[in-house]
Amino acid sequence: MPKVTYIEADGTEHQADVAIGDSIMQGAINKMIPGIEGDCGGLCACGTCHIYVSEQWATKCSAPDELEEGILEFAFGVDQRSRLSCQIAMSESLEGLVVHLPDRQY
Ligand code: FES
């Protein structure tokens, strides 16, 4: 399975195998990686799966839709790299994806 590296705000790194088609959020939850809450279970309704995706990787991800952008407005510490990890599905082109986590989700 493709691997994703999740880097906490303090620099702590975690790796998880994420099945093709699973969300980047689900991969973190399955591995109990701290820093991603996923309170709504991936319904794009809570904003607690906020991550930062570098430009290098963002071009390989599907673009955020209007709903995701609307929920992100209420997330903590949003910047131009911000995405909701429940809205990014794992694909072969995302093998080796590196994402950064915010200080907190609320
Ligand atoms: S898990 Fe709730 S918006 Fe992603």
Side-chain angles (χ1 to χ4, degrees):
M1 275 192 276
K3 289 196 185 313
V4 176
T5 299
Y6 302 81
I7 304 177
E8 293 185 68
D10 69 2
T12 305
E13 293 190 17
H14 307 269
Q15 274 201 335
D17 296 319
V18 182
I20 300 290
D22 276 3
S23 72
I24 303 307
M25 179 276 286
Q26 194 60 53
I29 297 296
N30 290 348
K31 191 85 187 281
M32 294 192 292
I33 292 171
I36 294 185
E37 307 289 334
D39 288 348
C40 74
L43 298 176
C44 199
C46 70
T48 64
C49 63
H50 176 210
I51 59 170
Y52 301 112
V53 179
S54 69
E55 191 177 329
Q56 168 203 352
W57 286 106
T59 56
K60 297 182 178 179
C61 297
S62 56
D65 62 15
E66 270 184 46
L67 179 58
E68 180 179 347
E69 289 177 347
I71 296 296
L72 271 172
E73 287 181 21
F74 300 99
F76 171 78
V78 173
D79 69 20
Q80 73 283 352
R81 304 167 298 152
S82 293
R83 291 294 310 268
L84 295 178
S85 57
C86 70
Q87 299 302 300
I88 302 173
M90 194 63 197
S91 65
E92 287 178 9
S93 65
L94 292 178
E95 164 67 49
L97 174 66
V98 177
V99 300
H100 292 260
L101 310 184
D103 279 350
R104 57 190 173 93
Q105 293 287 351
Y106 303 103

